[in-house]
Amino acid sequence: MSDIEEHRKKIEEITLEMIKLLKTRTDIAKQIGDAKASLGMTVTDEEREDALRTQVAKLCKEIDLDQSTASKFLNLLLNESVKVQSDNKQTHLSMFLKAKALEEEGKKIIHLEVGEPDFKPPEEVKNALAEVYDKGYGKYGHAKGIPELRKALAVKENCSEENIMVCPGARFGVYLAITTLLNPGDEIIVIEPAWPAYKDCALNAGIKVRTIKTTLETKWEPSVEQINNVINENTKMIVLNYPNNPTGKMISENLLDNIMQTAKEHDLYVLSDEIYQDYTFMGLIDMKMEDYKKSIITKSFSKSYAMTGYRIGWVVAEPSIIDKMSKLQTLSLTNVSEPIQYVALKVWDVDPFENERKIKSRLEVLVKNAKDIGLEFIEPDGAMYLFAKTKYKDFDATKFSEKLLEHGVAIAPGEGFGDYKEFFRITAIDETRLIEGMKILDTVLKESYE
Ligand code: PMP
């Protein structure tokens, strides 16, 4: 056998052995997952992961292996463990689906778990829908969006049309950014509690999530030190979402500056999800893409105009980033529905102030009710939610959410937003139903824990 053949044979054997070991590793991870689930523990244990990282780094030195390659490989293994253990997590979406199933059986449900405004889009939407057929919008079009809409968005974003890409909702923008800008084994920093899609998109693409846990006690504020502690050579992106879903927290200008400084020092992409930008009640902190070339800002018509089901949003970024993202958009969608882009264009002139006022007053009602029944939380600076816990020790919000659903009220369990099993999220819906829902919540809470 030639030398090459011999080496090839060895490589085959080693690869097959590695696959067998992967099977053993995955089986054990599953068993750990079952044990964690029965003990009510969260899936990711960052301390254990860090300890393993340190061991791998040490081994790399001993055997003279490139540490960056090894840690990327480790990240893939860690992600596999997270994937096999993540099946049972209850999120606002799973609660919503359960609530929907009950409604189909004829039960009445008060939806405090949903992430959408419960009022109608502006009348302009109706008119635009009536016009769109005759206007002839309805062909294949440019993947980045129809020029009229891109232009209109660029005017208010104070940037060039080249910096804008229309996409079917901010969710798709987030997906495109994470999937096209990062590679398997890279790392992304997510500040929790967080909307679950950042983590799930990363997991789906083989990207390792490093979470930063913020707490009620520190007013949901991350520290730059926490961020610095998780940055390493594989770190490529940090996600910001202010006003935040689920806490409603806004970030101070000073903290944002410091985070941006850190991102620049480490050459990280900054993915800033500003979908609640119009629902900010304490002065807006608008990330400016021109301040940092590696920022990607996602926005949407979903919340500001109550157009969640229309599926339309946009991304602001450097043209080179937009180009990368639009390639995957072309591949997967061809283009965003032209009629809906036309509707968005018409609605873009409508001031969302009325909706902001509505959401603000609903949040005030929610805050008052939540205080009256003794929930513990930080008053939201924006968005549409309250993220709260109770005074009861060992309170399990997932179990409570399921019990509450039996009484006709759906809430979003905190575990969907990170390691927050004792918290739940309530959406600010219309006053009458909100008050009714909060009354039932209070009664079920007292019946269960007093
Ligand atoms: N980002 C955040 C923080 C959200 O809460 C949501 C919706 N729940 C989205 C993005 C998705 O928005 P869209 O409907 O535009 O996809």
Side-chain angles (χ1 to χ4, degrees):
M1 220 183 328
S2 72
D3 267 5
I4 289 190
E5 265 315 303
E6 210 169 295
H7 286 134
R8 280 186 177 151
K9 195 88 204 109
K10 268 225 167 80
I11 290 231
E12 270 174 28
E13 279 168 20
I14 293 171
T15 308
L16 293 176
E17 197 53 40
M18 284 170 81
I19 302 289
K20 277 191 209 155
L21 286 171
L22 179 64
K23 159 85 175 128
T24 313
R25 195 183 185 282
T26 309
D27 286 348
I28 298 174
K30 259 189 212 137
Q31 286 167 20
I32 296 177
D34 292 343
K36 278 182 183 168
S38 68
L39 292 170
M41 289 163 68
T42 51
V43 167
T44 312
D45 184 338
E46 306 249 351
E47 266 176 42
R48 293 303 294 240
E49 288 189 354
D50 273 341
L52 192 51
R53 249 180 220 111
T54 311
Q55 286 186 51
V56 168
K58 191 163 159 262
L59 179 64
C60 284
K61 279 204 184 110
E62 283 166 21
I63 62 175
D64 193 22
L65 176 70
D66 174 44
Q67 208 168 301
S68 155
T69 314
S71 66
K72 281 195 179 203
F73 183 59
L74 174 64
N75 280 345
L76 294 177
L77 293 177
L78 293 173
N79 262 6
E80 279 311 304
S81 306
V82 173
K83 267 191 213 162
V84 296
Q85 294 179 6
S86 293
D87 289 348
N88 305 326
K89 203 174 61 180
Q90 290 285 7
T91 63
H92 61 290
L93 266 180
S94 61
M95 259 353 242
F96 173 70
L97 293 177
K98 280 187 186 176
K100 277 273 162 210
L102 288 173
E103 273 175 337
E104 274 157 29
E105 287 168 16
K107 250 197 125 179
K108 277 216 166 341
I109 304 287
I110 299 179
H111 288 278
L112 299 181
E113 86 289 18
V114 286
E116 62 185 353
D118 61 346
F119 42 83
K120 282 194 171 155
E123 281 282 316
E124 282 77 357
V125 168
K126 198 168 158 182
N127 303 335
L129 282 170
E131 282 166 24
V132 75
Y133 180 89
D134 288 334
K135 294 266 179 188
Y137 287 91
K139 299 287 184 194
Y140 286 137
H142 202 295
K144 291 177 190 169
I146 57 172
E148 307 87 300
L149 181 58
R150 287 178 79 203
K151 252 183 221 139
L153 293 167
V155 170
K156 281 201 209 164
E157 293 292 356
N158 200 18
C159 64
S160 143
E161 204 182 315
E162 300 304 310
N163 298 109
I164 302 277
M165 181 177 75
V166 180
C167 55
R171 179 186 279 274
F172 205 67
V174 165
Y175 169 77
L176 291 177
I178 293 176
T179 311
T180 59
L181 302 176
L182 308 186
N183 291 308
D186 285 347
E187 296 185 20
I188 182 172
I189 302 174
V190 174
I191 301 166
E192 288 188 338
W195 183 51
Y198 312 123
K199 210 172 183 169
D200 291 343
C201 282
L203 201 58
N204 180 56
I207 292 145
K208 179 77 193 121
V209 180
R210 303 297 298 265
T211 51
I212 290 188
K213 189 173 175 178
T214 63
T215 62
L216 179 73
E217 290 70 30
T218 50
K219 299 195 162 57
W220 304 120
E221 209 151 276
S223 72
V224 174
E225 196 193 349
Q226 280 179 300
I227 296 172
N228 271 317
N229 282 345
V230 295
I231 293 179
N232 62 53
E233 57 196 355
N234 290 323
T235 316
K236 298 287 153 58
M237 182 182 275
I238 179 164
V239 183
L240 303 178
N241 169 225
Y242 297 103
N244 175 264
N245 173 9
T247 63
K249 171 83 187 162
M250 195 61 211
I251 195 170
S252 75
E253 199 150 6
N254 188 30
L255 181 55
L256 178 64
D257 284 348
N258 290 337
I259 294 177
M260 292 306 289
Q261 195 50 43
T262 306
K264 285 176 195 171
E265 275 163 25
H266 296 275
D267 196 31
L268 308 183
Y269 287 109
V270 177
L271 173 58
S272 181
D273 184 355
E274 299 180 12
I275 186 165
Y276 297 105
Q277 188 195 41
D278 288 322
Y279 299 157
T280 309
F281 318 124
M282 58 160 286
L284 181 65
I285 294 175
D286 197 2
M287 263 238 338
K288 287 278 178 283
M289 177 264 317
E290 65 260 35
D291 293 344
Y292 183 44
K293 303 286 179 208
K294 288 189 83 169
S295 54
I296 305 102
I297 302 169
T298 50
K299 296 192 182 179
S300 178
F301 288 83
S302 285
K303 317 283 169 166
S304 309
Y305 296 105
M307 285 170 64
T308 45
Y310 288 74
R311 308 307 306 128
I312 186 152
W314 69 100
V315 176
V316 190
E318 274 295 296
S320 59
I321 293 178
I322 295 285
D323 281 347
K324 279 190 192 161
M325 290 172 64
S326 82
K327 272 193 189 142
L328 183 55
Q329 179 144 290
T330 314
L331 182 66
S332 50
L333 291 178
T334 306
N335 61 281
V336 179
S337 153
E338 276 209 349
I340 299 303
Q341 290 192 68
Y342 176 75
V343 171
L345 178 67
K346 291 291 152 184
V347 104
W348 188 228
D349 287 334
V350 180
D351 188 343
F353 175 73
E354 241 335 280
N355 291 346
E356 182 195 338
R357 199 195 48 72
K358 211 179 271 176
I359 293 285
K360 186 165 186 264
S361 90
R362 286 169 181 201
L363 268 176
E364 281 163 4
V365 173
L366 178 52
V367 165
K368 184 183 175 311
N369 270 265
K371 274 187 187 161
D372 288 349
I373 65 173
L375 297 183
E376 296 174 7
F377 57 95
I378 298 291
E379 283 193 33
D381 306 316
M384 320 186 305
Y385 317 102
L386 196 75
F387 199 53
K389 63 174 185 166
T390 66
K391 61 182 181 207
Y392 305 108
K393 242 181 132 247
D394 299 326
F395 172 78
D396 182 328
T398 306
K399 285 190 186 138
F400 177 65
S401 304
E402 274 165 11
K403 178 139 200 212
L404 190 57
L405 188 59
E406 290 166 17
H407 291 79
V409 178
I411 53 171
E415 70 169 340
F417 305 98
D419 183 11
Y420 299 93
K421 260 193 168 294
E422 70 277 38
F423 283 86
F424 51 90
R425 189 192 76 178
I426 308 170
T427 304
I429 61 167
D430 87 275
E431 197 165 316
T432 320
R433 291 174 68 69
L434 182 60
I435 292 172
E436 195 187 337
M438 292 299 280
K439 247 190 211 142
I440 299 171
L441 189 149
D442 186 32
T443 311
V444 177
L445 194 58
K446 287 198 174 118
E447 269 172 21
S448 313
Y449 289 89
E450 282 183 2

